[in-house]
Amino acid sequence: GDGYGDLQEDLESDQGFGLVYNPLDADSYPPADKAKDADMDGIADADDSDIDNDGLLNTEEIVVGSSLYLADTDGDGADDGVEFLYGYDPNDPFNFPYHGIVSNTVIDGSNQSSDGWVYMVPDASGNTVILENVTVLEGTHLMLDKDAIVNFSNSWLEGGLNAPVVIRMTGLGSGKLTLSGDSVAQYINAKLSTDLELQSNTKVYFSDLSGNSIDAYGLIDHSAIQLRGVIHSNGANHSIRSSYIYGAGGIYTDPNVLNPSITDSFVRTGSSGFRGNVEQSFIAKDKLGYFEITGLFLDSIVWMGTSASSTVIKGSDVRVLGANSFTMHLNDSYIENSDGTQSYVGLGDAGTE
């Protein structure tokens, strides 16, 4: 109540000379010749348009009722300017965007901004938001700042069939969404303007996913995946099952992994290449043109343009688009040209051109 900010009283103190100003004592403050400068930015409060340097102008603080001298009026860990920017109440300690490290909590719609979204945002410590052992309940709408690097670790995103967890971003930026540890997500609708990473032990079920680059090192099951860039799916645990994959991007999984990376799925993308191990799936390019396949294809339907020499096709139906020359191993399969006028039944592992 002495008009001097706590920060200034602390910095102006000098314990070596017994000069200590107590922020809790209204009668303990710097001498009168020390201009009041609550945020110690070198601009006297009388001339400072943002006295507490919280990103909210003094005139705005007066309108919303927050403190001119406290960067975080309600003490919830988010500066007033950040809360105001994302539509939160700087005077409510239970209403704030998530930032920094968040642990052992349940996220639902109760902590939403004025626009109905729950925000994940950068803060003064950096762009990373880590959510550890967090549960997101069905029907929650999450909005990720376009530059926020959000990591759900050992967490549960618990959407429902009629109330999915919806995830969006504020625009195109440098942000990213990651599921790590033993995280599980079901019934999520994640339409991202940047990248998505699903680490090795993570599992995603019954979801609708979209992103620029998707690193799928865990399990995706009974889901739709829209590709604008490339999907990488590598490692011992990676698997895409019973899913629909579409869009302009391409699929590049590790053909050296013995287990099929894509099973019981429908894949039709705009990319000129496909690499991976496939079983009981349909693989094609969504438009005519060059389409190179690499890997192992079992009991599948494959529309292709050409292939790498290491490609093996077994028990499958193959349609070759175009007049390219190629070499591959064909076993117990049927292959025909694009109009069906020429065909070949593979009865052994001999190559065919």
Side-chain angles (χ1 to χ4, degrees):
D2 56 21
Y4 286 87
D6 294 349
L7 177 63
Q8 182 174 7
E9 292 188 310
D10 181 59
L11 294 179
E12 296 281 7
S13 297
D14 189 338
Q15 295 189 11
F17 289 91
L19 185 63
V20 177
Y21 302 115
N22 184 359
L24 301 178
D25 185 352
D27 296 321
S28 175
Y29 51 84
D33 62 342
K34 293 287 186 180
K36 297 176 181 178
D37 183 9
D39 57 5
M40 294 300 288
D41 61 358
I43 303 174
D45 291 348
D47 302 316
D48 197 339
S49 61
D50 181 7
I51 291 176
D52 55 9
N53 198 30
D54 60 0
L56 202 58
L57 297 178
N58 301 334
T59 52
E60 294 171 324
E61 302 244 31
I62 293 172
V63 170
V64 302
S66 54
S67 171
L68 277 68
Y69 297 96
L70 296 175
D72 179 14
T73 298
D74 55 15
D76 58 12
D79 283 356
D80 296 347
V82 173
E83 295 198 66
F84 185 78
L85 175 64
Y86 292 102
Y88 286 87
D89 182 357
N91 298 295
D92 184 351
F94 302 105
N95 185 235
F96 54 87
Y98 290 99
H99 59 95
I101 299 176
V102 181
S103 302
N104 305 310
T105 191
V106 175
I107 297 176
D108 56 18
S110 63
N111 189 25
Q112 63 187 17
S113 70
S114 59
D115 62 8
W117 292 85
V118 177
Y119 279 79
M120 311 280 173
V121 305
D123 63 12
S125 65
N127 289 349
T128 301
V129 184
I130 298 176
L131 301 110
E132 175 75 27
N133 293 319
V134 166
T135 298
V136 182
L137 298 184
E138 66 177 16
T140 303
H141 288 200
L142 303 179
M143 182 65 72
L144 279 52
D145 182 275
K146 62 185 178 64
D147 295 317
I149 301 173
V150 179
N151 184 351
F152 283 94
S153 176
N154 299 311
S155 295
W156 177 254
L157 284 72
E158 191 178 36
L161 177 61
N162 298 314
V165 172
V166 178
I167 305 176
R168 297 292 186 270
M169 304 189 84
T170 59
L172 183 62
S174 58
K176 182 178 183 180
L177 172 62
T178 298
L179 300 186
S180 64
D182 293 319
S183 292
V184 177
Q186 67 175 19
Y187 293 108
I188 66 170
N189 183 303
K191 301 292 187 180
L192 306 179
S193 55
T194 58
D195 298 338
L196 170 66
E197 180 179 358
L198 308 174
Q199 293 188 2
S200 178
N201 291 327
T202 60
K203 298 177 177 63
V204 176
Y205 301 98
F206 307 109
S207 294
D208 191 354
L209 310 174
S210 176
N212 283 342
S213 175
I214 299 179
D215 293 326
Y217 305 127
L219 169 66
I220 301 176
D221 193 5
H222 284 83
S223 297
I225 307 169
Q226 181 184 21
L227 302 179
R228 292 192 301 274
V230 174
I231 181 170
H232 296 100
S233 183
N234 300 310
N237 296 327
H238 79 283
S239 180
I240 299 174
R241 301 191 311 224
S242 304
S243 295
Y244 173 51
I245 306 173
Y246 66 103
I251 300 175
Y252 296 95
T253 65
D254 187 354
N256 297 314
V257 175
L258 296 179
N259 296 326
S261 54
I262 297 179
T263 307
D264 298 324
S265 296
F266 184 98
V267 180
R268 195 155 193 181
T269 67
S271 172
S272 60
F274 178 95
R275 186 179 68 191
N277 295 341
V278 176
E279 185 172 1
Q280 297 179 343
S281 297
F282 175 84
I283 307 293
K285 191 173 188 290
D286 67 355
K287 296 179 181 179
L288 294 179
Y290 183 86
F291 189 51
E292 180 181 22
I293 62 172
T294 305
L296 172 64
F297 298 81
L298 304 174
D299 303 321
S300 296
I301 298 174
V302 182
W303 292 7
M304 55 171 285
T306 185
S307 71
S309 60
S310 59
T311 297
V312 177
I313 298 180
K314 296 182 180 181
S316 300
D317 289 337
V318 181
R319 172 169 289 182
V320 180
L321 307 177
N324 301 297
S325 177
F326 56 88
T327 299
M328 66 180 176
H329 295 276
L330 192 70
N331 188 7
D332 195 22
S333 297
Y334 175 84
I335 183 170
E336 69 175 19
N337 61 353
S338 58
D339 58 10
T341 58
Q342 296 180 350
S343 63
Y344 173 82
V345 177
L347 299 177
D349 288 330
T352 183
E353 292 188 350

